[in-house]
Amino acid sequence: MLCQVLVATCCLASGTATGAPQVAALDRTSPAHTLSHGRTESGSAITIDHSDEAVTVTIDGSRADAEAEGDAAGRALDPLHFDNSSLPGSGKVGEPSATGSLPFSIERLLERAISYRLIDGGVALVGNRSGVLSSVARGKISGAPGAPAIDDRTIFDLASLTKVIATAPAVMKLLDQGKVALSDPISRWFPEFANPGHEELTVLSLLTHTSGLDDFGVSPDQPMESAVHKAAAQKFRARPNSRFHYADINFILLGELVHRVSGEPLNQFCQEQIYGPLSAANTMFLPPKSLAASIAPTSGGGAGNVQDPNARRLGGVAGHAGLFSTALDLSRFARMMLGGGMLDERRVLSEQVVAQMTSPYLANNGSVLRGLGWDISSPYSAPRGSLFSQGSFGHTGYSGSSIWIDPKQDLFVILLTNRIDYHNTHAFNQLRRDVSTVAAATYRAGGGGALQLASLTTDVLHEVTRAMQSAPRLVKMASSSGRGKYFGRSKRACKSDRILARSGRRGVRSAAVSRASRTAKTAAARSAAGKTANAAKKKRSGRRA
């Protein structure tokens, strides 16, 4: 019986809203060799050893497993090894791997998200500077009977992607034109902020979410005027330019800044200066009713109505939300960013301001990196995945959208979904992470190489269980040469493996290690013994242990 263990990041393994397992942590001390170690909730040790040649998954029978089997002696079972040397991504960029296809394909990730009711449907598009490499769509635009299928021309509410697809590039366009400067105090454009204590508040503060301002509900009466006055009257959460605090009010003000500086509403300015030159005809604020059948409705928003309540009160055009677009249109924007502001020999932004937008600005003592509007490394960076470079950047949207762009690897990934589960944020962020990781493993510049992941999920455990049930005494290890080794297993061990598989559905607790599993256990035991001896010594000497 041939059993190939599939190792990839796909943590939508739980059918419940809260039971998604966690990815095993990596110790990346050597680029050619990584090791991860985790345990199921039943206590069974799992080691995933990844090198350039192979990935080996070792599942150790433990005392917990033996006790579950009713073994009064609590004897440990022999470890079961699985080896998979035919990893995906070993061929040329864009070509199928040696196994025929990526075992955790983007198609499957979307299908699983639909089956677990995270989304009604979605589209994932992968591309580079030259064009689209892959576009995958699954599901429908809504759960209504007879709803049309989603494709790369389906229009989505982008939510907070508005910040980086509309507002930030609009501000940078004004910077290109010499009409604003990053160092401009906000009071230059907003007299409401011309009071003591606001001198340090600048355009840069708003773009990097370091203004210290906090969000609030916008009044339906004179919404923009009241929002500006309310923001100006706030006491800062922190001194401006010192702490990163993500807040929509920063980009609400920036959207109004575009209006005050240019004399045009944000939607009109963006259409003339950005979307028109990009030939992005389906990117817009306030989509007409004639397009309703092509728009994926959002919970609370409907088809063509922005989901965000503050954006609705602001008339559907706001700096933080309100933009609608398609995966194909966004791919043109991403290609423009990879092209240094140019697409199809037409310049949209200068190369200088694109570089400024995507350069890292440090906050929180360097623990957070942000661009001008763009996210680089922060608590919101799930779409970065495991294989995008450190210089990559992107953003997410509450409605289920995300984009991530990697100039170094000449790659971008766009994910647009009709999100229906807003509670299981862990699972949804894992979907974003997995889509980017699988896309990068398949299409990144220079060839994918071995899939540099270490994650044990329900699918792996299901493969283990199925192999043990089909061939209870023999399990063959798959290898790149097609040959394999057989390991004998007792019926008792087979039953234990099935218990392990069932326990694994509830999650994998992760902890990175830098040595093999048994070495780590021995070191841990010695360390614990040493600590106990030291504590006893201190106690005897009268010191507090």
Side-chain angles (χ1 to χ4, degrees), residues 63-127:
R63 180 176 297 273
D65 297 322
E67 290 174 350
E69 285 293 296
D71 189 343
R75 292 185 296 271
L77 302 171
D78 294 333
L80 173 63
H81 302 272
F82 292 88
D83 178 45
N84 183 4
S85 302
S86 299
L87 289 176
S90 57
K92 295 181 180 179
V93 177
E95 292 183 355
S97 64
T99 56
S101 64
L102 205 61
F104 281 89
S105 64
I106 294 175
E107 292 95 329
R108 186 174 182 188
L109 293 173
L110 292 177
E111 289 166 357
R112 289 167 63 83
I114 293 170
S115 67
Y116 289 124
R117 302 297 296 155
L118 281 176
I119 60 176
D120 275 327
V123 55
L125 187 149
V126 185

Side-chain angles (χ1 to χ4, degrees), residues 302-504:
N305 297 315
V306 60
Q307 182 182 35
D308 183 87
N310 278 344
R312 287 202 302 269
R313 294 188 189 107
L314 289 164
V317 179
H320 71 296
L323 190 65
F324 288 75
S325 188
T326 67
L328 275 180
D329 274 10
L330 291 181
S331 73
R332 295 187 65 78
F333 186 94
R335 289 173 59 202
M336 180 271 292
M337 294 294 292
L338 288 173
M342 182 176 286
L343 178 67
D344 297 337
E345 300 183 354
R346 188 168 187 177
R347 183 156 295 283
V348 180
L349 297 171
S350 73
E351 191 169 1
Q352 180 182 0
V353 301
V354 170
Q356 281 183 292
M357 285 181 78
T358 57
S359 295
Y361 291 77
L362 278 66
N364 298 22
N365 296 321
S367 63
V368 172
L369 300 180
R370 298 286 300 194
L372 301 182
W374 294 97
D375 184 18
I376 297 175
S377 179
S378 79
Y380 302 97
S381 302
R384 181 175 171 175
S386 301
L387 299 179
F388 275 98
S389 69
Q390 292 183 354
S392 62
F393 54 91
H395 212 280
T396 62
Y398 180 73
S399 59
S401 57
S402 63
I403 184 171
W404 211 265
I405 303 171
D406 191 341
K408 182 178 180 180
Q409 301 192 91
D410 188 23
L411 190 71
F412 64 84
V413 178
I414 295 162
L415 177 64
L416 302 178
T417 71
N418 192 0
R419 186 177 180 179
I420 55 178
D421 185 345
Y422 290 87
H423 299 288
N424 196 350
T425 55
H426 173 81
F428 198 86
N429 282 333
Q430 190 62 50
L431 170 65
R432 288 168 164 153
R433 190 176 293 115
D434 291 339
V435 167
S436 291
T437 299
V438 172
T442 311
Y443 296 107
R444 60 184 176 165
L451 190 60
Q452 297 174 15
L453 310 174
S455 170
L456 193 64
T457 66
T458 294
D459 294 85
V460 178
L461 297 175
H462 283 176
E463 288 291 330
V464 174
T465 304
R466 184 167 58 184
M468 296 309 299
Q469 290 173 337
S470 301
R473 294 183 181 277
L474 294 175
V475 174
K476 187 176 182 180
M477 292 167 50
S479 68
S480 57
S481 65
R483 297 187 297 271
K485 298 179 181 179
Y486 288 88
F487 287 83
R489 297 288 284 165
S490 67
K491 292 183 179 179
R492 185 179 191 80
C494 300
K495 185 177 179 182
S496 178
D497 290 325
R498 291 194 292 272
I499 291 175
L500 170 59
R502 287 196 297 272
S503 68

